[in-house]
Amino acid sequence: MSTVHEDTSLEFIASNLDILATILPERLLKPQVGIVCGSGLSTLAASFRERIEVPYSSLKGFGISTVHGHKSALAFGLVGPGDGVPVVAMLGRFHAYEGHSLSTVVYPVRVMARLGVKDIIITNAAGSLDPALPVGTIVSIRDHLALPNLTGFNPLLGPAKPQYPRFLPLSTAYSHSLRRTVFLAAHELGLPSSTLGEGTYAWVSGPTYESPAEGRFLRAAGASVVGMSTVPEVLAAKEEGIEVCVLSLVTNFVVVPDGYRSVREEVEAELAGRPLPPVPQVEVSHEEVLAIGKEKGEVMRSLVEKMIELLGKSG
Ligand SMILES: O=P(O)(O)O[C@H]1O[C@H](CO)[C@@H](O)[C@H]1O
């Protein structure tokens, strides 16, 4: 488990505001939009104006992100024309599989809430379970399937707190209004319609990628993409009253063969002098995930920036 100080009281979380007030100019101190950068996607914050990076180590209660492709810092800045919209981005997130508690995983979202963030755009790299969502597609998430939540692993477990609802409804967790903004932004940018899809995100704990049977199971259960993050952040943001948008970048196909070829038949055919064609042995890797993030990071960045611009206009 994480060794960070596990005080999640509002006072402790809010003490970060005093630290930030000594680092940031007034106009950056009240971000309207929060961004969570997925694996290989920290370039989403690359063109913030007046950008200031604040390492997690200089704040209170933050963990350290240990995954390649995640930086341990917040980036503050402005996005869009004119005065710009003040924003804050997590350049790296925490995953439960790193050994972080779920409180640590969602902690930065709670800090964003104290800073006044109204809308959050949570991004991730994910494996596709749907042939209609090929590698490189950005998927606007409309729902989730969280097996860990269904089996007792939920960041909102614990004593009731008066400021939060005890039983949080999730039917509207993925803001309809922000999902519209995603497609309006893509239209304004003239992105081909194949760039953007819609789907359901399955959260698994990782760190193993899915076995073929698990992939088939998730697909049959209605998931479009799968990843090892995001849902805890969505739950905390929803609990904090923040509007949530999730964008998944498809970095790979989950290996989901329709069936298994009998190895007995394979060996018997070979012995009979009629060898069958070899079965391709495909494996996903984090390097592949990061490479697609690098390749498609610019499209994702332009989409996120255009969304923020539109949100700035609508107040
Ligand atoms: O969800 P993000 O942080 O984008 O990262 C994804 O990429 C990693 C696996 O390659 C996992 O951490 C998975 O969740």
Side-chain angles (χ1 to χ4, degrees):
M1 280 294 163
S2 163
T3 51
V4 294
H5 183 49
E6 285 277 326
D7 186 345
T8 53
S9 67
L10 290 185
E11 295 70 31
F12 184 75
I13 297 171
S15 64
N16 280 299
L17 271 53
D18 298 333
I19 301 174
L20 288 167
T22 66
I23 303 173
L24 301 173
E26 183 71 24
R27 62 191 172 283
L28 297 185
L29 203 50
K30 291 191 171 49
Q32 180 187 327
V33 180
I35 301 169
V36 182
C37 300
S39 283
L41 293 171
S42 59
T43 52
L44 292 180
S47 53
F48 286 3
R49 287 185 283 119
E50 300 185 31
R51 177 190 154 109
I52 295 182
E53 260 188 43
V54 181
Y56 293 159
S57 57
S58 61
L59 294 167
K60 283 191 190 167
F62 281 72
I64 292 294
S65 185
T66 63
V67 182
H68 191 202
H70 290 261
K71 280 178 81 174
S72 289
L74 292 176
F76 291 81
L78 301 169
V79 168
D83 288 347
V85 179
V87 295
V88 56
M90 282 168 65
L91 301 182
R93 62 153 53 93
F94 311 120
H95 307 82
Y97 66 74
E98 296 172 73
H100 295 300
S101 71
L102 286 179
S103 315
T104 298
V105 171
V106 304
Y107 184 85
V109 172
R110 301 213 184 276
V111 173
M112 284 187 188
R114 302 284 89 67
L115 285 166
V117 162
K118 301 275 175 288
D119 302 299
I120 191 166
I121 302 172
I122 301 176
T123 68
N124 60 60
S128 174
L129 296 155
D130 180 350
L133 300 172
V135 171
T137 311
I138 295 171
V139 185
S140 168
I141 297 301
R142 60 179 163 221
D143 200 354
H144 73 230
L145 175 67
L147 295 180
N149 287 351
L150 296 176
T151 54
F153 192 57
N154 185 314
L156 309 189
L157 286 172
K161 293 192 176 141
Q163 67 274 25
Y164 300 130
R166 174 71 292 191
F167 301 106
L168 190 71
L170 294 183
S171 48
T172 58
Y174 297 84
S175 160
H176 183 257
S177 159
L178 289 183
R179 285 167 50 215
R180 285 177 55 86
T181 309
V182 175
F183 282 88
L184 289 170
H187 175 75
E188 286 216 2
L189 290 169
L191 295 180
S193 71
S194 59
T195 308
L196 207 56
E198 290 184 275
T200 297
Y201 181 92
W203 174 39
V204 295
S205 74
T208 43
Y209 291 110
E210 297 64 48
S211 71
E214 288 163 353
R216 270 197 299 275
F217 171 76
L218 293 173
R219 187 167 69 178
S224 326
V225 294
V226 54
M228 308 171 195
S229 70
T230 299
V231 170
E233 296 150 1
V234 169
L235 300 185
K238 171 80 177 157
E239 187 177 59
E240 295 286 355
I242 300 174
E243 291 287 298
V244 175
C245 170
V246 172
L247 298 175
S248 294
L249 173 66
V250 174
T251 52
N252 58 284
F253 254 113
V254 178
V255 183
V256 189
D258 285 331
Y260 300 95
R261 186 165 89 188
S262 158
V263 168
R264 178 203 299 274
E265 279 169 26
E266 187 179 306
V267 171
E268 286 175 356
E270 206 172 295
L271 294 173
R274 294 177 278 98
L276 300 172
V279 179
Q281 301 288 304
V282 187
E283 281 187 340
V284 58
S285 71
H286 190 56
E287 287 64 42
E288 181 185 341
V289 167
L290 294 180
I292 299 296
K294 197 166 178 192
E295 193 184 315
K296 298 290 174 185
E298 277 305 297
V299 186
M300 188 74 126
R301 184 169 64 80
S302 57
L303 183 65
V304 168
E305 285 187 358
K306 182 57 77 178
M307 281 185 71
I308 294 171
E309 217 178 295
L310 294 178
L311 290 172
K313 279 185 197 158
S314 68

